[in-house]
Amino acid sequence: MFPVRLTLDPAFTVGPVRRRTFGSFVEHLGRCVYTGIHDPAHPTADADGFRKDVLELTRELGVSTVRYPGGNFVSGYRWEDGVGPVEQRPARLDLAWHSLEPNTVGVDEFMRWAALAEVEPMMAVNLGTRGVQEALDLLDYCNGTAPTYWADQRRANGAADPYKVTMWCLGNEMDGPWQIGSKTAHEYGRLAAETGRAMKMVDPTLELVACGSSGVVMPTFGEWERIVLSEAYEQVDYVSAHAYYWEEDGDLGSFLASATDMDHFVESVTATADAVRAHKKVSKRIHISFDEWNVWYQKRAESKPPTGDDWPVAPVLLEDRYNVADAVVVGNLLISLLRHTDRVHAASLAQLVNVIAPIMTEPGGRSWKQTIFHPFAQASRYAAGDVLQVAIDAPTYETARYGDAALVDAVATRDPETGATTLFAVNRSLTEPALLEVDARSLPGLRVLDASTLSNPDHTWTATADDDTSVAPRTNTTAEIRDGRLVVQVPPVSWNVVRLGA
């Protein structure tokens, strides 16, 4: 067992815990929508065809926002196809995922689902095959209060009150050659500025997200952000970041250190945005919407779309089965997002159901929780108040992909109203437990309210519809306070949560 020393002090904060950090993502991709959130044949389906079991799990997961309808899908989407009488809606080819989109679920259905799920909708507009006018039309349909054509259409379709969508993504991954209508940074930056300017003429309080790089591996990373923000800085409020991680060639050590790459991503984009700010000599800061992140095994067969003449509705796509190590990495990525709460003001776990998701369903049948469900749900439930700076003194190990990484990573939050302090920590060691000694003497009178650990001697264990409970967060009985210090033992490859209170 190796020792790790952590220090907490409420005088040193990063910023507030932001509820939007715990967002998710629903795209018209694979079975996320159809047989995921929407399955009229399911025994629990409501009048709109929405699965109540999935709604319950979404609320239990603690999702705050949901980004919709894409993703790659949005770059070819005609939103008008998904409103009005369902029987009159046209089916369309979805070029992004080589599927057939029936448009059974559209804007109004999604908004009703979001209200039931108690989440804030975050809409994306198509800047791949469409542009300014179509974005304005969608904005008017969703939020319009005047007697305009599109606002009247919404009322005629049963929604008398506007949806009041605040956060809007100006396209998706427009730097990617896989994207329908992909653009150079100058082309996209100009279009984003024009679209954002027009949308804010309608409502200056909107919060707009410009597309950042699709990943740090993109050849234009950094320069893309600089050019796009040079064009659109005054019109937008956020720049997006997307990152996916996976274990490759059995290199579990590098995989467990994935959060070091997310740290680098956030800090690089922040530096670029601030450089543009300095050049423009303005006070406004651009923040980050990390609106796609997760573990995703992109080389697996289920991540390959259909081809040729096969255009199925809701094919099995991207249905990764997550193990314990995947859950530990997801927990560590949440630690990274919280650690950067001063600049990451929103984030979206991609995605919510079936597609690289914490929730899985059988068509017409059972639903269950994947291993990654648990760290997200715990972080959403217990992170409150302010994020504290945590000083970590831990041994390091060498990784092939990211160089030296600490064996333990952690973040803490403290709610000044309740006095509750929560420590979130991962042990990246493959074989050794760690003894965490947390100096909390600046928080006198603390006691352990509860402590839990998610781990398993077999880190490859995956949940199924038959068993999603035998490996889940369990009480960690080693946590105790000694002379103003929290002491807790954490096993290898583990996600840990310790809650402290007066």
Side-chain angles (χ1 to χ4, degrees):
M1 186 178 299
F2 61 92
V4 176
R5 292 177 175 81
L6 310 176
T7 303
L8 307 182
D9 191 322
F12 297 94
T13 63
V14 181
V17 174
R18 303 180 193 278
R19 283 301 304 155
R20 282 179 173 169
T21 300
F22 305 105
S24 190
F25 181 24
V26 166
E27 181 175 359
H28 285 248
L29 192 179
R31 297 196 310 113
C32 187
V33 174
Y34 305 114
T35 73
I37 68 171
H38 185 264
D39 191 353
H42 196 268
T44 70
D46 65 11
D48 279 316
F50 293 124
R51 291 180 60 142
K52 293 180 181 178
D53 59 338
V54 172
L55 282 164
E56 291 174 3
L57 287 172
T58 300
R59 289 189 287 265
E60 182 181 348
L61 185 63
V63 171
S64 57
T65 66
V66 171
R67 181 170 172 249
Y68 176 86
N72 295 352
F73 173 81
V74 78
S75 291
Y77 183 47
R78 289 183 276 193
W79 67 267
E80 306 94 318
D81 291 343
V83 299
V86 173
E87 63 277 6
Q88 296 177 17
R89 297 180 189 177
R92 303 284 189 187
L93 297 182
D94 168 24
L95 304 185
W97 301 106
H98 203 87
S99 306
L100 186 67
E101 172 53 54
N103 287 302
T104 308
V105 172
V107 173
D108 295 304
E109 287 83 9
F110 173 73
M111 293 298 177
R112 291 197 291 271
W113 178 87
L116 292 170
E118 301 172 9
V119 302
E120 175 191 357
M122 175 182 176
M123 293 294 289
V125 300
N126 177 358
L127 294 187
T129 60
R130 311 187 90 183
V132 178
Q133 187 58 60
E134 291 84 358
L136 289 174
D137 291 345
L138 178 58
L139 174 61
D140 194 31
Y141 186 87
C142 289
N143 290 5
T145 57
T148 61
Y149 175 83
W150 283 117
D152 283 346
Q153 287 295 305
R154 184 198 69 237
R155 297 182 188 102
N157 292 332
D161 297 325
Y163 294 125
K164 299 180 180 179
V165 180
T166 298
M167 203 167 184
W168 295 79
C169 300
L170 301 177
N172 174 76
E173 294 186 356
M174 300 309 297
D175 62 330
W178 59 85
Q179 202 71 212
I180 303 168
S182 65
K183 294 170 173 56
T184 68
H186 286 289
E187 290 170 337
Y188 170 70
R190 178 72 180 274
L191 178 57
E194 292 173 346
T195 306
R197 186 179 298 110
M199 292 178 74
K200 288 199 171 183
M201 289 174 73
V202 176
D203 182 355
T205 69
L206 297 179
E207 299 175 49
L208 304 182
V209 184
C211 291
S213 295
S214 302
V216 294
V217 298
M218 297 298 290
T220 54
F221 174 62
E223 184 68 355
W224 172 276
E225 281 81 0
R226 185 190 69 79
I227 294 171
V228 167
L229 291 178
S230 294
E231 294 278 1
Y233 198 98
E234 289 80 3
Q235 287 74 42
V236 303
D237 306 280
Y238 305 85
V239 61
S240 72
H242 292 180
Y244 295 100
Y245 302 94
W246 61 93
E247 182 182 347
E248 192 165 17
D249 300 325
D251 186 4
L252 179 59
S254 291
F255 177 51
L256 290 169
S258 295
T260 63
D261 181 76
M262 179 178 271
D263 290 339
H264 164 69
F265 198 164
V266 170
E267 289 155 13
S268 298
V269 172
T270 296
T272 304
D274 285 348
V276 176
R277 173 177 178 262
H279 177 72
K280 286 182 171 287
K281 301 177 178 62
V282 295
S283 59
K284 172 185 174 181
R285 288 191 186 276
I286 296 292
H287 298 290
I288 294 173
S289 174
F290 217 120
D291 47 43
E292 286 190 33
W293 68 272
N294 203 347
V295 171
W296 175 16
Y297 291 86
Q298 299 183 25
K299 295 181 181 179
R300 289 181 178 172
E302 58 265 27
S303 287
K304 307 302 180 185
T307 58
D309 295 332
D310 186 14
W311 296 86
V313 174
V316 172
L317 279 173
L318 283 62
E319 297 199 11
D320 280 357
R321 297 299 197 265
Y322 291 118
N323 62 33
V324 173
D326 297 325
V328 173
V329 170
V330 164
N332 202 171
L333 296 174
L334 284 161
I335 287 172
S336 177
L337 293 171
L338 285 168
R339 179 162 51 230
H340 294 97
T341 192
D342 56 330
R343 298 308 293 269
V344 177
H345 285 203
S348 303
L349 177 72
Q351 295 187 11
L352 181 64
V353 188
N354 290 327
V355 175
I356 50 173
I359 300 169
M360 298 298 296
T361 69
E362 296 172 336
R366 298 172 292 179
S367 59
W368 70 96
K369 304 172 186 176
Q370 295 231 62
T371 57
I372 66 170
F373 184 101
H374 303 294
F376 189 100
Q378 288 187 303
S380 178
R381 184 179 307 121
Y382 297 130
D386 297 317
V387 179
L388 303 184
Q389 295 181 19
V390 178
I392 304 174
D393 180 8
T396 62
Y397 70 111
E398 185 177 351
T399 72
R401 198 181 306 176
Y402 306 119
D404 287 346
L407 281 169
V408 166
D409 197 14
V411 75
T413 66
R414 177 172 171 77
D415 188 341
E417 294 186 5
T418 65
T421 299
T422 304
L423 175 72
F424 305 95
V426 294
N427 182 359
R428 296 168 173 162
S429 172
L430 307 186
T431 57
E432 292 186 66
L435 179 65
L436 307 188
E437 299 180 8
V438 184
D439 187 344
R441 286 175 294 178
S442 59
L443 301 167
L446 289 184
R447 61 186 179 88
V448 175
L449 299 179
D450 58 68
S452 67
T453 292
L454 173 62
S455 68
N456 196 50
D458 177 11
H459 71 265
T460 67
W461 184 92
T462 59
T464 65
D466 295 319
D467 178 13
D468 69 347
T469 59
S470 66
V471 177
R474 298 284 186 255
T475 299
N476 186 330
T477 59
T478 69
E480 60 177 330
I481 301 294
R482 298 179 191 167
D483 300 324
R485 289 176 171 84
L486 166 67
V487 179
V488 59
Q489 298 175 29
V490 297
V493 191
S494 64
W495 157 260
N496 305 273
V497 180
V498 183
R499 297 178 59 236
L500 306 170

